[in-house]
Amino acid sequence: MTNLVILVGRIARDPETRTTQGGTSITSISVVTDRPARKDGKTYKDENGYTAKDSEFHRVTCFNGLAKTVGQYCSKGQLVSVQGRIHYTQWEDQDGVTRYGSEILADKVDFLSRANGGDNQDAPPID
């Protein structure tokens, strides 16, 4: 059995990095992917004549060395490829209501474009 996710999309907002008390680096990013929108089972054009798109936002979490690299060299708008696995969580909120969530735990993040703005000449090479 396999739990494998591969996403290619743009980073929706700048990465957020934190460090646990135990010293583990954790970086969270949101990756947006697009697919053609459909009406009555068919794709359609928007008001500008382009194929309309539906966007989905994916929460991605990176740990340790990957977290440091993503936090340092990635920024909003950058095109990335993410490989990892889906992780589901369940918890009770303050009102006792059961809540559910999902995220992608990244094993690998490839930079498909340079970060927008800033100087990232020391960033790892783009394959």
Side-chain angles (χ1 to χ4, degrees), residues 63-102:
F63 295 95
N64 299 316
L66 180 61
K68 291 177 184 177
T69 302
V70 168
Q72 183 175 2
Y73 296 114
C74 290
S75 66
K76 179 180 177 178
Q78 186 172 1
L79 185 63
V80 294
S81 170
V82 176
Q83 294 182 36
R85 65 183 177 89
I86 300 174
H87 176 71
Y88 296 98
T89 55
Q90 175 182 336
W91 71 94
E92 280 191 21
D93 67 12
Q94 295 174 348
D95 300 324
V97 177
T98 301
R99 302 286 184 176
Y100 301 91
S102 64

Side-chain angles (χ1 to χ4, degrees), residues 3-7 27-29 31 57-63 66 81-88 101-109:
N3 178 352
L4 175 65
V5 174
I6 300 173
L7 298 173
T27 297
S28 299
I29 57 175
V31 175
F57 292 80
H58 310 274
R59 292 184 342 181
V60 177
T61 303
C62 308
F63 295 95
L66 180 61
S81 170
V82 176
Q83 294 182 36
R85 65 183 177 89
I86 300 174
H87 176 71
Y88 296 98
S102 64
E103 65 186 323
I104 307 301
L105 300 181
D107 294 322
K108 181 179 181 183
V109 176

Side-chain angles (χ1 to χ4, degrees), residues 28-47:
S28 299
I29 57 175
S30 179
V31 175
V32 62
T33 58
D34 296 323
R35 67 176 186 281
R38 296 185 175 271
K39 280 186 186 175
D40 301 321
K42 296 180 182 179
T43 61
Y44 63 96
K45 305 284 184 185
D46 63 15
E47 61 276 356

